[in-house]
Amino acid sequence: MKEPLDIKAYLDADEQKDLLRLLTAGSVDDGKSTLIGRLLFDSKKLYDDQLAALERDSKRVGNAGDSIDYALLLDGLKAEREEGITIDVAYRYFSTNRRKFIIADTPGHEQYTRNMITGGSTANLAIILIDARKGVITQTRRHTYLVSLLGIKHIVLAVNKMDLVDFSKEVFDAIVAEYRQLTDHLGIEDVTCFPLSAREGDNVVEKSDRTPWYDGPALLHFLETVPIHADRNFDDFRYPVQYVLRPDLNFRGFCGKVASGVIRVGDEVMALPSMKRSHVQSIVTYEGEQQIAFPPQSVTITLEDEIDISRGEMIVKPDNQPHIGRHFTTMLVWMDEEPMDTGKQFFLKHNTNTTRATICALRNRVDVNTLEEKAGKPFQLNEIGQVDILTAKTLFFDAYAKNRQTGAFILIDPITNNTSAVGMILAPLDERSLENDLIPTLDLPKLGIAEEHYAAIDTAVKELARQGLEIKVKH
Amino acid sequence: MNQSNSQIHSALPLQGERGGGLLTHLQELEAESIHIIREVAAEFENPVMLYSIGKDSSVMVRLAEKAFAPGKVPFPLMHIDSKWKFKEMIQFRDEYAKKYGWNLIVESNMEAFNAGVGPFTHGSKVHTDLMKTKALLDALNKYKFDAAFGGARRDEEKSRAKERIFSFRDQFQQWDPKNQRPELWDIYNARIHKGESIRVFPLSNWTELDIWQYIRLENIPIVPLYYAKERPCVEIDGNLIMADDDRLPEQYRPLIKPRMVRFRTLGCWPLTGAVESTATTIEEIVEEMMTTTKSERTTRVIDFDQEASMEQKKREGYF
């Protein structure tokens, strides 16, 4: 019989769970899909008919003999099922009594670095899989480097297939020691290591009695409890204006998602680039007004004074400003089949701001296998390195290491509209030495345009700016 | 989410007590969805929200209302009416749009309808191709929409699990799973050429339970068909089909029996199987969902057509 009270209690508890986004990376044979399949399966979120479909598929193309091939649960697309490998980022969802999880499952082989970068950009935590028989290999270095580049704060090293090395403590310790050298070198602080057999379930959900020498928790327990609240930046208030809401003449609200920091009603704020100051009059949501907003809330802010602020501009606090400028140095990952063309003007999208941009200097390329720096030359697909970028419009940014939200951008090819590259900003650069000014100027008096047309031209120029085409107008 | 806001306030200044983020998972998902919806409104000339009248659509519509409150939502709702929807769905649709002041567009493939196309006479594949896929593509072309929101979730089906939130469609509305734009952080690439478009899925990261939980917390109205009631049903090919109007073929009519059923998904009534149930509240629905052994799409007949059929349909432009 039904017990409505119990389900109500369950839902009330469920409502209070928080969300952990995690990335998994490993090579084709490390048992990554098996591990994820087990996390999903053993946390009892696999429905029977998904299992039935799996049984059908296993008989045709499975690689696991008679037992269920957990990997097939995850490999959704037709094309890749035929290849027997995961070709793109796939998202999986499961929950336990304590937390909800989103897994970004990404492939391990070289040509798909861009997928791991894609899957990892929002992750709180990364699971790096290692085959215990092989130890730290080139791919491990590559994955770990990408995780550090993305600024993922927590790493889990899953030493898998421990059953194939007789659950040897020596093997595990040696791998962990070698891996910690790598993470120390990359400056990654939070690394936790687990001896696992995903296929047989050791230390995945339950602690295994075959690793009596291991005194840490099972993987799932760790995932449920690892603290992630401190990972967000609550210090530096950054509010990229996304949409201006004017339902009537009395209300002018600036919609946006709090990128970082905390804002309260009454706080003094400053609009960029105008530098005009005001105070927060209200923080409005569908439910009504609230006194405070923090990341990643989507809210609407009204100000006490009437200041003209458009999409792409930013509201900050006067005593804590981001870098304001058009020239910076950045790490860049090339994501496009078409190689980098340094003569091209790209569209750069940074928060809600879109502008023209050029890559004005190539500093180096990083060999993701050895982590060595090589001479800068135009990047091919999956290449990573440091470049300098010049934008047409002024950007309001922080170093990615300090602020993941305001330090990230994408480059869009102006012809194909593909996302050609993604960047993590390192530092601002001096603008005084720049000769290359990307912004064309319309000198209206010089062009002999009558004054009555100025307003119309201003409107058109503003619309172009919204689309990322900046033009200066001289009246 | 009113009741939780006070908890947030008391949790500040930012001492997370539960070892995690300061927002609950639903608050985080809500914020993400609102951000996505606003981004589309800001970046596209002519967006539209596709409305299926189902529970996911109901949540998506509420999120759009939230995104622009206290203003009005700056884009219309569009329902592709296959002419075989449950009567209660159509009634609910019209009442909801009126009550909340939505600009509602309804489009159908009248040519095929007048030619008598339907699931009983032409089979589910032809019916879906003409009355859903073609009707949708024609409508998108007719209004020249450059962005269309859909309520699909990644946990629904395997091919959706790999689709971007901003999913690029070529001029034929087709999806190419091998050629998706990289999508990082919350920076969405909205640039398209004339004739191309983007399908946007603001509920990508929501699960079925999240949807129910949200409907419960927010008191979002849903079509009563989701709740169990005695309804006239007939068993066709192992599916429990409700006789919603007199177009049920003659041979099935003597077999109609009253059954206590509800629907886990809503679509064309001849293609949507009911499940036997006594659940009349959201709590009971969730309880049933958690103890039941079938995931929701199994009650949708169109998925069985062929292996990887949803992927095929997406490639052709359906969803």
Side-chain angles (χ1 to χ4, degrees):
Chain A
M1 281 308 290
K2 293 206 182 313
E3 294 170 49
L5 269 182
D6 279 353
I7 191 71
K8 197 179 168 304
Y10 173 85
L11 285 171
D12 290 343
D14 180 79
E15 187 210 332
Q16 293 305 317
K17 290 174 193 169
D18 65 358
L19 183 64
L20 178 80
R21 298 177 200 241
L22 64 97
L23 167 75
T24 56
S27 65
V28 184
D29 312 316
D30 292 337
K32 177 164 55 79
S33 295
T34 307
L35 176 66
I36 298 170
R38 191 168 276 285
L39 285 172
L40 298 182
F41 182 77
D42 290 357
S43 61
K44 298 178 183 65
K45 279 309 287 177
L46 283 183
Y47 291 149
D48 278 7
D49 61 349
Q50 283 180 348
L51 277 181
L54 174 69
E55 247 169 59
R56 239 182 16 235
D57 291 349
S58 282
K59 275 181 198 138
R60 267 216 331 274
V61 289
N63 297 320
D66 284 338
S67 59
I68 291 180
D69 186 347
Y70 286 95
L72 275 182
L73 281 169
L74 308 169
D75 296 346
L77 295 181
K78 231 172 161 179
E80 76 197 60
R81 258 194 275 178
E82 282 145 22
E83 288 164 34
I85 46 168
T86 315
I87 59 164
D88 204 350
V89 185
Y91 296 90
R92 297 290 148 191
Y93 302 81
F94 74 103
S95 68
T96 67
N97 288 334
R98 304 173 100 142
R99 214 170 231 176
K100 297 243 171 182
F101 297 89
I102 301 177
I103 303 180
D105 183 18
T106 62
H109 42 292
E110 187 160 22
Q111 61 268 47
Y112 291 110
T113 290
R114 74 170 188 174
N115 294 114
M116 179 166 160
I117 289 282
T118 299
S121 68
T122 55
N124 306 98
L125 178 148
I127 299 181
I128 307 272
L129 261 104
I130 283 190
D131 184 331
R133 295 169 305 176
K134 296 181 190 157
V136 177
I137 57 172
T138 301
Q139 197 147 245
T140 318
R141 287 178 213 285
R142 183 159 68 225
H143 292 157
T144 307
Y145 173 69
L146 294 178
V147 163
S148 76
L149 187 69
L150 284 166
I152 299 173
K153 298 276 197 291
H154 313 278
I155 289 192
V156 161
L157 181 74
V159 182
N160 193 26
K161 306 200 179 182
M162 286 297 293
D163 53 319
L164 300 181
V165 294
D166 298 324
F167 294 95
S168 158
K169 180 177 189 301
E170 288 67 36
V171 170
F172 179 75
D173 287 347
I175 290 173
V176 168
E178 193 183 350
Y179 190 69
R180 284 201 189 274
Q181 276 185 355
L182 175 65
T183 52
D184 287 350
H185 174 70
L186 291 169
I188 302 169
E189 286 165 18
D190 186 359
V191 182
T192 315
C193 308
F194 296 83
L196 304 179
S197 166
R199 202 177 52 167
E200 303 191 359
D202 296 85
N203 292 327
V204 179
V205 172
E206 309 269 341
K207 278 206 71 175
S208 170
D209 51 19
R210 296 198 282 187
T211 51
W213 44 266
Y214 168 70
D215 55 12
L219 175 61
L220 186 64
H221 179 78
F222 176 80
L223 296 177
E224 282 183 304
T225 52
V226 56
I228 52 171
H229 70 274
D231 298 351
R232 283 190 199 281
N233 178 333
F234 288 108
D235 301 324
D236 311 305
F237 178 65
R238 305 281 186 264
Y239 188 74
V241 172
Q242 196 183 7
Y243 190 88
V244 181
L245 198 63
R246 301 212 68 169
D248 55 60
L249 290 174
N250 301 321
F251 188 93
R252 190 215 292 252
F254 303 105
C255 303
K257 181 165 130 178
V258 183
S260 59
V262 178
I263 190 78
R264 291 174 171 83
V265 172
D267 282 356
E268 187 179 26
V269 290
M270 177 189 267
L272 299 177
S274 74
M275 310 290 263
K276 285 186 179 144
R277 296 183 185 212
S278 184
H279 291 85
V280 175
Q281 184 182 53
S282 64
I283 300 169
V284 184
T285 68
Y286 178 85
E287 285 78 18
E289 297 192 6
Q290 57 189 54
Q291 291 302 305
I292 189 166
F294 53 89
Q297 284 185 322
S298 287
V299 295
T300 299
I301 288 177
T302 66
L303 301 180
E304 284 176 4
D305 307 277
E306 210 167 285
I307 301 179
D308 188 28
I309 309 177
S310 313
R311 173 176 164 85
E313 300 183 2
M314 188 182 269
I315 298 174
V316 300
K317 290 185 181 173
D319 61 351
N320 181 336
Q321 296 177 27
H323 302 297
I324 301 169
R326 302 193 293 120
H327 193 206
F328 56 84
T329 186
T330 181
M331 295 306 292
L332 195 75
V333 185
W334 200 253
M335 312 286 268
D336 204 329
E337 305 271 354
E338 229 172 273
M340 177 194 289
D341 174 356
T342 48
K344 225 180 227 175
Q345 274 200 16
F346 294 91
F347 286 107
L348 182 150
K349 191 171 179 188
H350 169 258
N351 292 315
T352 59
N353 205 351
T354 302
T355 175
R356 289 280 187 164
T358 54
I359 299 164
C360 50
L362 300 171
R363 296 203 180 199
N364 62 49
R365 277 174 305 140
V366 176
D367 182 327
V368 291
N369 297 325
T370 61
L371 307 187
E372 282 165 10
E373 288 177 8
K374 299 190 290 190
K377 66 170 197 186
F379 296 0
Q380 308 277 335
L381 176 63
N382 293 319
E383 286 192 326
I384 299 171
Q386 187 182 345
V387 305
D388 297 348
I389 283 185
L390 177 66
T391 61
K393 262 161 97 176
T394 301
L395 298 185
F396 323 108
F397 61 92
D398 296 281
Y400 186 80
K402 193 178 163 209
N403 196 326
R404 228 167 146 179
Q405 295 297 315
T406 54
F409 65 90
I410 64 173
L411 282 188
I412 301 167
D413 186 294
I415 297 159
T416 64
N417 284 334
N418 279 337
T419 302
S420 293
V422 301
M424 300 86 171
I425 298 173
L426 293 166
L429 293 174
D430 193 356
E431 280 165 35
R432 280 169 304 183
S433 59
L434 288 173
E435 289 168 21
N436 179 2
D437 196 335
L438 290 173
I439 307 180
T441 305
L442 272 183
D443 192 332
L444 301 185
K446 214 170 158 186
L447 291 167
I449 291 167
E451 261 183 57
E452 66 257 35
H453 300 305
Y454 285 9
I457 289 170
D458 284 343
T459 310
V461 163
K462 219 170 173 184
E463 173 55 25
L464 285 174
R466 193 184 68 83
Q467 296 173 21
L469 292 167
E470 193 80 350
I471 299 169
K472 275 186 201 155
V473 183
K474 246 188 178 168
H475 288 169
Chain B
M1 278 179 263
N2 259 336
Q3 60 267 64
S4 310
N5 277 341
S6 59
Q7 287 158 10
I8 295 166
H9 299 160
S10 63
L12 287 167
L14 314 174
Q15 307 294 320
E17 277 138 36
R18 289 172 299 105
L22 286 152
L23 296 185
T24 67
H25 69 281
L26 278 178
Q27 290 168 331
E28 193 171 328
L29 291 173
E30 179 190 63
E32 178 181 275
S33 300
I34 289 174
H35 173 79
I36 293 163
I37 291 168
R38 287 170 171 174
E39 199 64 10
V40 171
E43 290 250 10
F44 290 89
E45 308 262 320
N46 190 20
V48 66
M49 184 165 272
L50 301 177
Y51 180 53
S52 76
I53 325 178
K55 63 182 195 308
D56 303 289
S57 272
S58 297
V59 167
M60 178 168 66
V61 162
R62 173 55 49 89
L63 290 166
E65 290 162 2
K66 287 196 175 197
F68 303 102
K72 276 189 68 160
V73 180
F75 44 77
L77 269 189
M78 183 164 78
H79 177 233
I80 300 303
D81 188 350
S82 69
K83 297 290 185 183
W84 287 84
K85 301 294 179 193
F86 291 93
K87 287 196 292 279
E88 280 178 80
M89 290 171 69
I90 302 302
Q91 190 188 345
F92 178 91
R93 176 195 74 192
D94 294 341
E95 284 172 10
Y96 188 90
K98 202 173 159 201
K99 183 171 173 192
Y100 290 91
W102 277 89
N103 171 13
L104 174 71
I105 298 170
V106 178
E107 286 290 326
S108 301
N109 181 348
M110 288 312 290
E111 199 186 340
F113 179 69
N114 290 331
V117 170
F120 290 118
T121 46
H122 293 71
S124 66
K125 172 128 180 40
V126 171
H127 170 72
T128 305
D129 284 352
L130 289 173
M131 301 307 288
K132 292 176 84 168
T133 309
K134 181 154 195 312
L136 172 63
L137 300 187
D138 289 351
L140 292 173
N141 287 334
K142 176 177 166 186
Y143 294 94
K144 307 220 176 321
F145 291 123
D146 51 4
F149 292 100
R153 292 176 281 110
R154 284 175 176 154
D155 85 324
E156 262 177 278
E157 197 271 334
K158 282 197 246 179
S159 67
R160 284 189 179 159
K162 311 209 164 188
E163 190 166 7
R164 307 287 192 243
I165 291 171
F166 272 46
S167 183
F168 176 79
R169 299 305 160 99
D170 65 15
Q171 53 180 320
F172 305 106
Q173 301 282 349
Q174 289 168 347
W175 180 56
D176 180 358
K178 284 196 156 177
N179 192 19
Q180 301 197 80
R181 292 175 177 177
E183 191 167 81
L184 279 88
W185 304 291
D186 54 6
I187 310 177
Y188 301 102
N189 178 350
R191 298 199 76 89
I192 50 169
H193 293 298
K194 209 172 158 49
E196 297 167 345
S197 63
I198 305 273
R199 298 285 172 89
V200 183
F201 301 106
L203 302 180
S204 288
N205 286 324
W206 295 58
T207 64
E208 188 182 10
L209 181 59
D210 296 333
I211 294 289
W212 282 119
Q213 180 77 276
Y214 195 72
I215 289 171
R216 170 178 175 261
L217 293 170
E218 303 278 322
N219 288 314
I220 295 173
I222 52 169
V223 183
L225 291 163
Y226 283 111
Y227 298 110
K229 198 179 134 183
E230 209 172 71
R231 297 183 167 98
C233 290
V234 55
E235 224 177 290
I236 303 177
D237 299 335
N239 288 293
L240 215 45
I241 301 300
M242 173 175 159
D244 195 55
D245 60 48
D246 55 14
R247 289 178 292 180
L248 184 73
E250 191 65 48
Q251 77 256 34
Y252 297 119
R253 288 185 201 161
L255 307 174
I256 296 176
K257 283 195 190 102
R259 303 278 279 269
M260 190 71 178
V261 293
R262 64 176 207 89
F263 294 86
R264 297 189 65 188
T265 59
L266 298 179
C268 299
W269 65 262
L271 298 177
T272 309
V275 290
E276 293 200 82
S277 166
T278 54
T280 55
T281 64
I282 288 176
E283 282 82 1
E284 286 169 354
I285 288 173
V286 171
E287 185 175 16
E288 200 177 272
M289 194 183 96
M290 298 186 62
T291 49
T292 190
T293 55
K294 291 200 183 303
S295 76
E296 60 184 322
R297 293 203 71 89
T298 55
T299 57
R300 221 172 247 192
V301 183
I302 56 167
D303 276 5
F304 297 133
D305 285 351
Q306 52 185 307
E307 190 191 353
S309 64
M310 184 57 78
E311 185 191 340
Q312 196 60 41
K313 288 194 169 63
K314 286 179 85 69
R315 284 171 184 257
E316 289 164 6
Y318 171 66
F319 288 120

